[in-house]
Amino acid sequence: MVIYVFTAIFYLLCLAGVAHLIQLEGFELKQDALYSEETLTEHMQDVLTFLSCILFFYASRINFQLKIPAVLLAALSAMMFVREFDTYLDLYFFDGAWQSIVYSILAGVFVYLITNRGSIFNALKAYSLTPSYGICLSGMVTLLAFSRMMGKGAFWHSVMGDDYVRAVKNIVEEGIETLGYTLIFISAIELVLICRKRMAKNHKHCTDQVTQ
């Protein structure tokens, strides 16, 4: 029971910390804050997607039962990272570089799923029974649906009229996006903890069998 309380407090502090970091640009630059590409909020999104990708991939390496969903989530996080990094890829490589990378990842995922098609259902069912699933789903809905709806320019033009300020729209949209990325990152942590716990349990079971 105690561990769950501490976990909840830890995640609460994480989300509060992310919210504070989002506010820093506003406190520092005030009316000049734009929340555009070169901001702490955008860089946080880069870091969160990159770390999520690493954690999901690590989880796929240490647990066979949850390998397929972990690989899929790692690939999805990688595509999100590439998408958030699109400006630099187009600038330093070639225009449309991020699309090429994303399509390559998608092709790899498609081949992987065909190769493991017989195990997909059971693996996804097993993942749906973990705490990581609910947190990840919440993050995906927040990121892919809610942030997009709240970031619609037409809505903000309607609300603010002639007083429309793009930075306000950006703050709301980017802030909600960062919340979604944070939830996905937390789900990646949860999945790693679950996989490590199962790995330790299996190791103990094998050890007990050997000693018997």
Side-chain angles (χ1 to χ4, degrees), residues 15 23 48 55 133 160 206:
L15 290 173
Q23 294 172 359
L48 288 168
L55 289 174
Y133 170 76
M160 292 188 282
C206 292

Side-chain angles (χ1 to χ4, degrees), residues 31-64:
Q31 289 85 358
D32 294 326
L34 299 176
Y35 287 84
S36 55
E37 292 293 331
E38 289 294 335
T39 63
L40 177 60
T41 302
E42 285 286 345
H43 294 322
M44 272 199 301
Q45 294 175 4
D46 296 337
V47 172
L48 288 168
T49 51
F50 179 76
L51 291 178
S52 297
C53 178
I54 297 299
L55 289 174
F56 282 130
F57 181 74
Y58 173 66
S60 73
R61 304 296 296 175
I62 61 175
N63 187 277
F64 180 77

Side-chain angles (χ1 to χ4, degrees), residues 23-166:
Q23 294 172 359
L24 284 181
E25 182 183 358
F27 285 131
E28 182 178 350
L29 300 179
K30 298 180 173 58
Q31 289 85 358
D32 294 326
L34 299 176
Y35 287 84
S36 55
E37 292 293 331
E38 289 294 335
T39 63
L40 177 60
T41 302
E42 285 286 345
H43 294 322
M44 272 199 301
Q45 294 175 4
D46 296 337
V47 172
L48 288 168
T49 51
F50 179 76
L51 291 178
S52 297
C53 178
I54 297 299
L55 289 174
F56 282 130
F57 181 74
Y58 173 66
S60 73
R61 304 296 296 175
I62 61 175
N63 187 277
F64 180 77
Q65 185 183 26
L66 298 173
K67 182 175 182 177
I68 291 177
V71 168
L72 294 179
L73 290 171
L76 181 59
S77 298
M79 288 187 284
M80 289 177 176
F81 173 73
V82 172
R83 178 64 184 87
E84 291 297 332
F85 220 62
D86 61 339
T87 301
Y88 300 98
L89 291 171
D90 290 344
L91 180 63
Y92 294 108
F93 290 90
F94 59 90
D95 186 36
W98 74 270
Q99 292 100 324
S100 300
I101 297 174
V102 167
Y103 291 145
S104 297
I105 296 174
L106 279 174
V109 168
F110 184 69
V111 172
Y112 178 76
L113 289 176
I114 291 178
T115 306
N116 297 274
R117 57 186 177 277
S119 307
I120 295 175
F121 178 78
N122 289 334
L124 293 180
K125 182 179 179 181
Y127 179 63
S128 69
L129 299 177
T130 68
S132 172
Y133 170 76
I135 301 173
C136 187
L137 185 60
S138 299
M140 293 294 182
V141 171
T142 300
L143 176 65
L144 301 177
F146 193 71
S147 68
R148 296 294 179 266
M149 294 300 297
M150 291 303 298
K152 291 179 66 174
F155 167 71
W156 292 102
H157 278 290
S158 176
V159 171
M160 292 188 282
D162 294 337
D163 297 321
Y164 172 76
V165 179
R166 183 176 176 82

